[in-house]
Amino acid sequence: MNENEYVDQRVQDQIDWYDRKSRAAKGWFRRLRVIEIVAAATIPLLVSYSDWSLYVKVTVGILGIMVAVIAGLLSLHQFQENWIDYRATCESLRHEKFLFITRTGPYDGERPFPLFVQRIESLISKETSGWAQATRSSGKRRAENQEPPESGNVAG
């Protein structure tokens, strides 16, 4: 694979992927957070101006459930963290691409292409490893927070 093919097929493809994923994560994070804030702020308003009719009780209950579900979704999918990580990787890849194209910085010496490939692949690998580690540690934390089935239930 030559330089142009690598830049077009590998680097630009990765930049586009991280850009799309960053924008999607940002969109989900902001939409869910706005809904969560509005729902949480509406609860005390409804409670303070109501005679606690069945309609208000059901509405307050639904809003409370929405707040809890949205908080869980934000924690589970880590939209904010992914948005930031994907954006940082995207911008780092763009930075390296433009340094290479203009032959500045570390790419102004002999044989800049192998150095470019090494640095690009390192950025991609670093982000992928960070994602895998975060996913594993998140799953491990969730598992550690669950009570074992038999613990504390032994009659004595």
Side-chain angles (χ1 to χ4, degrees):
M1 179 177 282
N2 68 34
E3 291 180 12
N4 290 334
E5 290 172 336
Y6 183 78
V7 169
D8 291 341
Q9 294 175 15
R10 176 68 168 159
V11 179
Q12 191 58 48
D13 180 60
Q14 290 296 302
I15 289 170
D16 293 343
W17 188 90
Y18 282 110
D19 186 51
R20 272 192 319 275
K21 291 297 186 174
S22 173
R23 282 188 277 122
K26 177 182 178 181
W28 275 109
F29 172 73
R30 287 190 168 181
R31 282 189 297 273
L32 288 172
R33 184 63 82 191
V34 165
I35 294 168
E36 180 184 39
I37 291 168
V38 170
T42 304
I43 291 171
L45 177 71
L46 288 176
V47 169
S48 66
Y49 288 107
S50 74
D51 58 358
W52 279 98
S53 68
L54 179 62
Y55 172 75
V56 173
K57 288 179 184 179
V58 169
T59 302
V60 168
I62 290 170
L63 289 172
I65 290 169
M66 283 177 52
V67 169
V69 168
I70 290 172
L73 289 172
L74 288 170
S75 174
L76 178 66
H77 293 288
Q78 300 179 351
F79 292 117
Q80 184 178 25
E81 294 84 353
N82 288 339
W83 159 31
I84 293 166
D85 290 344
Y86 291 159
R87 177 56 48 208
T89 301
C90 178
E91 296 306 321
S92 294
L93 290 170
R94 277 190 180 132
H95 177 76
E96 291 296 325
K97 176 185 168 186
F98 289 117
L99 287 176
F100 177 72
I101 289 171
T102 59
R103 298 292 197 250
T104 52
Y107 307 116
D108 60 355
E110 290 183 30
R111 298 183 39 140
F113 183 58
L115 177 61
F116 177 63
V117 171
Q118 179 186 14
R119 289 174 64 122
I120 290 295
E121 296 303 323
S122 176
L123 283 169
I124 295 168
S125 176
K126 178 181 167 190
E127 197 284 326
T128 303
S129 297
W131 175 84
Q133 183 178 3
T135 302
R136 277 193 297 271
S137 66
S138 176
K140 184 178 179 183
R141 279 195 310 270
R142 280 195 298 271
E144 288 172 350
N145 290 333
Q146 293 178 352
E147 186 175 321
E150 298 294 318
S151 106
N153 294 332
V154 178

